[in-house]
C-alpha cells in the first residue's frame, strides 16, 4: 500500500495512524512545496509517485522518520535523484538521527540536496529528561 499524501487541510482531520505506516503531509505555496515525512520509509514508499508532482523549491522535513529499511533507502536515493532534476533546489530540514545515520553510510543518499538542519538528541544531566 503506497503512503498517503495529505494536504494541510486533510492532515488536521485524519485520525492518528499506526506508527509503522508512512504519512507524507504536502503543503504548497506558489512554487514552494513542503513535504513532511512521518513513520517508516520502507518498501511501500514509491519515489516515482511522489516525485512526479513536485517542481520549484522543495523543502523536505524528516523529523518524523522513525526508521528506514533497505528497500526504503533504495527508493529514497531514487527520490532524491528525481527531485534534484525536477526542482530548482531541494532542502532537507530537521533530519532525524536515523536519517543522519543513513547519510553517513549510503553513497548518493543526499544527492544534490542542501541539508539545512539536523536533530540531535539531548539528555538533561540535571533531571534526566531526553529531548
Amino acid at each position: 500500500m503506497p503512503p498517503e499524501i495529505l494536504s494541510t487541510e486533510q492532515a488536521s482531520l485524519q485520525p492518528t495512524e499506526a506508527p509503522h505506516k508512512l504519512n507524507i503531509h504536502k503543503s504548497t505555496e506558489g512554487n514552494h512545496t513542503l513535504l513532511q515525512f512521518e513513520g517508516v520509509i520502507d518498501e511501500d514508499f514509491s519515489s516515482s509517485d511522489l516525485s512526479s508532482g513536485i517542481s520549484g523549491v522543495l523543502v523536505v522535513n524528516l523529523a518524523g522518520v522513525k526508521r528506514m529499511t533497505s528497500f526504503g533507502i533504495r527508493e529514497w536515493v531514487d527520490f532524491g535523484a528525481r527531485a534534484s532534476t525536477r526542482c530548482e533546489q531541494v532542502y532537507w530540514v530537521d533530519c532525524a538521527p536515523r536519517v543522519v545515520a543513513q547519510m553517513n553510510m549510503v553513497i548518493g543518499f543526499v544527492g544534490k540536496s542542501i541539508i539545512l538542519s539536523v536533530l540531535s538528541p539531548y539528555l538533561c544531566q540535571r533531571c534526566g529528561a531526553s529531548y
Side-chain angles (χ1 to χ4, degrees), residues 1 4 10 33 43 46 54 62 71 74 91-93 123 131:
M1 170 188 304
E4 186 173 357
Q10 293 172 318
T33 301
E43 64 275 359
S46 172
I54 57 172
L62 298 166
F71 292 108
R74 182 184 63 207
Y91 298 102
W92 291 21
V93 297
L123 177 66
Y131 300 95

Side-chain angles (χ1 to χ4, degrees), residues 31-50:
N31 76 332
H32 293 74
T33 301
L34 170 66
L35 296 177
Q36 293 178 288
F37 287 75
E38 295 178 8
V40 177
I41 298 176
D42 59 13
E43 64 275 359
D44 293 331
F45 174 62
S46 172
S47 62
S48 59
D49 291 345
L50 185 58

Side-chain angles (χ1 to χ4, degrees), residues 59-109:
V59 178
V60 181
N61 184 314
L62 298 166
V65 174
K66 303 299 181 209
R67 187 169 54 92
M68 297 183 88
T69 67
S70 58
F71 292 108
I73 292 168
R74 182 184 63 207
E75 284 295 311
W76 184 263
V77 170
D78 186 54
F79 169 71
R82 290 173 188 257
S84 293
T85 60
R86 294 177 187 264
C87 297
E88 298 167 24
Q89 192 59 61
V90 181
Y91 298 102
W92 291 21
V93 297
D94 294 345
C95 300
R98 292 146 194 91
V99 176
V100 174
Q102 297 304 324
M103 287 177 191
N104 292 320
M105 291 188 291
V106 179
I107 295 172
F109 190 82

